[in-house]
Amino acid sequence: MFHEVVICNLFACFVDFRKAFDNVNYWKLFNQLLDDVVDISLVQILAFWYSHQEVTIVWSHIGSSPFAVGNGTKQGSVLSPYLFPKYLRHLLCVISGSHIGCRIGGLPVNIIAYADDIVLLAPSWHALQALIGH
């Protein structure tokens, strides 16, 4: 089976969230997980884990005393690519529901998100500006 190939313009905007993982309010994140019907036991484990974070800074082989961290998701954690989009769920839903975007393989696509990396896709400069305005 052959599919018709349609050539069209594609405008993309790559979004870089500055210190994204460091600025996550994890209590808001946990509430969103509960709203998404994630098992309460798992959310309680995450809440304990994140509310008891301690870090040590090592520089030139000398370590600081441990100190508490009050917000953020763990950079490099296997959970971060799952948790950060949950934190941005409302924004991702607004953009994907805007009906502005491109069709790829017959499917409407206007946002691709993985962890803190987001790409907005639009068929024109004006459509891309509209997506950014959301």
Side-chain angles (χ1 to χ4, degrees):
M1 176 185 278
F2 293 98
H3 293 281
E4 180 181 347
V5 175
V6 178
I7 306 298
C8 62
N9 292 327
L10 177 66
F11 291 78
C13 175
F14 295 83
V15 180
D16 180 21
F17 287 97
R18 186 174 172 199
K19 299 190 180 225
F21 291 104
D22 298 339
N23 293 309
V24 169
N25 177 328
Y26 49 72
W27 298 111
K28 179 180 175 186
L29 170 63
F30 300 145
N31 283 323
Q32 287 175 308
L33 291 173
L34 292 172
D35 289 346
D36 288 347
V37 195
V38 172
D39 185 89
I40 192 167
S41 298
L42 179 57
V43 176
Q44 287 173 329
I45 290 168
L46 289 171
F48 179 82
W49 186 30
Y50 278 93
S51 64
H52 290 82
Q53 293 184 90
E54 285 191 347
V55 296
T56 301
I57 297 174
V58 177
W59 186 57
S60 292
H61 306 291
I62 300 171
S64 70
S65 298
F67 58 94
V69 176
N71 64 340
T73 60
K74 296 175 182 299
Q75 183 80 29
S77 167
V78 296
L79 289 176
S80 293
Y82 173 78
L83 294 176
F84 192 72
K86 290 290 187 183
Y87 186 70
L88 295 180
R89 177 175 46 104
H90 178 72
L91 174 67
L92 298 175
C93 287
V94 167
I95 292 172
S96 66
S98 70
H99 304 292
I100 300 170
C102 300
R103 297 190 76 74
I104 299 174
L107 298 172
V109 177
N110 62 1
I111 189 165
I112 300 170
Y114 179 77
D116 64 339
D117 298 315
I118 293 178
V119 181
L120 300 174
L121 303 172
S124 71
W125 174 253
H126 293 293
L128 185 59
Q129 291 295 313
L131 287 176
I132 292 169
H134 278 79

